[in-house]
Amino acid sequence: MGWAGDSVLVRFGLRQSNIFAAMLVSYAVSITCVWSYLIATTPLDFLKSPAMIYYGISGCIQPLLARALFYEGITRIGVARAGPLRGVEPFFAALVAVTIFNEQPGWLVYLGTTLIVGSLWLISGKQKGDTNWRLIDTAFPISAALISTISQTLRKRALESIPDPFVAAAGVATVSLILLLMFVFTTGRTGQFRMERKSFAFFFAAAMIAVVAQIFNFIALGRGQLSVIIPLLNTTPLFTVFFSLLFLRDLEIINSRIILGATFMVAGVVFITVR
């Protein structure tokens, strides 16, 4: 629910701004909240742990790259489509398990994977009057899902050494912000950080929700199995479509294909989870 709420608020803010400003506010709020808590309550010995290397690598690809791709997807095809397409992670997780780790999944995994592929076809299809985006634009949220799958695996490994969700959130957010600032300053795009007050308000609200969602994400990863947590995280598409129907009717076209596709996506996730 948190990631879905973050997506909708960012969509409102992007009307008068861009993804660089959205990411800056998101990381700045996350770092301020999480590091303030850690400094006040936790010894900083964890900075010497090898687990910070995993958090550093994870921070290089998510949230920075994954969020940039997802926000770009929101800009191009809207929340109602980008959100469900972002939920294809279990498909990639199953694919990696079969091709790299030689796992032998049961028939429920194949059924779930088939439903997810079907949902991609439904969500990516166009209907009459819906011509303001291209099929290639769907690659942005799908790529974000692939990157997120890799990142979650790294985070799970790090949480085995430092089972503190606040340390995890602080590590990945700090690395992502540093890389974002380096990219913007070296490419001369500092002007992208300018934003209207309305956009800032939406981005700030989205960032606060994202911080809570991130903490819950790390708590879940630390306590549960990766193969179960990733599919459960990807029930987000249903909430995304629901929130879009409530709040984004004036900005996006939400048709029956999107609703049915999101339902197929979550059904596929459920089958993979209960395998």
Side-chain angles (χ1 to χ4, degrees):
M1 289 180 66
W3 294 130
D6 168 74
S7 300
V8 171
L9 289 168
V10 167
R11 178 68 175 92
F12 278 118
L14 288 173
R15 290 181 299 178
Q16 298 175 311
S17 189
N18 59 81
I19 62 171
F20 290 100
M23 288 190 293
L24 176 66
V25 174
S26 181
Y27 299 148
V29 170
S30 178
I31 288 172
T32 301
C33 293
V34 177
W35 276 110
S36 295
Y37 173 82
L38 286 175
I39 291 172
T41 63
T42 308
L44 300 183
D45 295 339
F46 63 82
L47 293 172
K48 302 177 183 178
S49 172
M52 297 304 295
I53 298 175
Y54 289 102
Y55 288 138
I57 297 173
S58 176
C60 290
I61 58 177
Q62 187 193 20
L64 180 62
L65 186 55
R67 191 167 298 180
L69 289 168
F70 182 52
Y71 285 176
E72 184 65 22
I74 289 176
T75 302
R76 291 173 180 246
I77 65 176
V79 173
R81 278 193 171 88
L85 291 176
R86 177 71 167 76
V88 74
E89 281 184 50
F91 170 74
F92 290 126
L95 188 63
V96 168
V98 172
T99 59
I100 297 179
F101 297 106
N102 297 318
E103 292 185 9
Q104 299 297 323
W107 67 272
L108 284 175
V109 173
Y110 290 110
L111 177 58
T113 301
T114 301
L115 286 172
I116 290 174
V117 172
S119 74
L120 295 178
W121 175 76
L122 286 168
I123 296 167
S124 301
K126 289 187 177 183
Q127 288 190 340
K128 185 177 180 180
D130 186 16
T131 59
N132 59 344
W133 60 278
R134 301 170 299 168
L135 183 61
I136 190 65
D137 295 334
T138 61
F140 288 95
I142 293 174
S143 298
L146 174 59
I147 291 170
S148 181
T149 302
I150 298 171
S151 178
Q152 297 288 18
T153 304
L154 293 170
R155 294 175 179 185
K156 178 67 174 176
R157 179 67 179 272
L159 283 163
E160 292 173 358
S161 299
I162 308 178
D164 188 327
F166 291 94
V167 172
V172 298
T174 301
V175 172
S176 291
L177 178 60
I178 291 172
L179 291 176
L180 174 64
L181 292 175
M182 288 175 59
F183 173 77
V184 169
F185 281 108
T186 55
T187 57
R189 301 187 183 187
T190 54
Q192 298 287 335
F193 286 153
R194 297 192 185 96
M195 67 192 89
E196 301 289 337
R197 288 185 177 180
K198 288 184 178 180
S199 293
F200 175 78
F202 284 120
F203 292 156
F204 182 82
M208 294 299 295
I209 293 175
V211 169
V212 177
Q214 186 82 299
I215 296 299
F216 285 166
N217 179 185
F218 283 120
I219 291 174
L221 283 174
R223 296 181 179 180
Q225 295 180 354
L226 188 67
S227 60
V228 175
I229 298 305
I230 287 182
L232 289 177
L233 285 173
N234 286 281
T235 56
T236 298
L238 281 185
F239 296 109
T240 301
V241 171
F242 177 68
F243 291 159
S244 297
L245 285 169
L246 286 180
F247 304 114
L248 297 177
R249 289 186 177 182
D250 295 335
L251 296 178
E252 301 186 6
I253 298 174
I254 304 169
N255 53 47
S256 57
R257 290 178 67 107
I258 294 175
I259 297 173
L260 184 60
T263 303
F264 274 24
M265 175 76 72
V266 175
V269 166
V270 170
F271 282 126
I272 291 175
T273 303
V274 301
R275 69 187 185 278

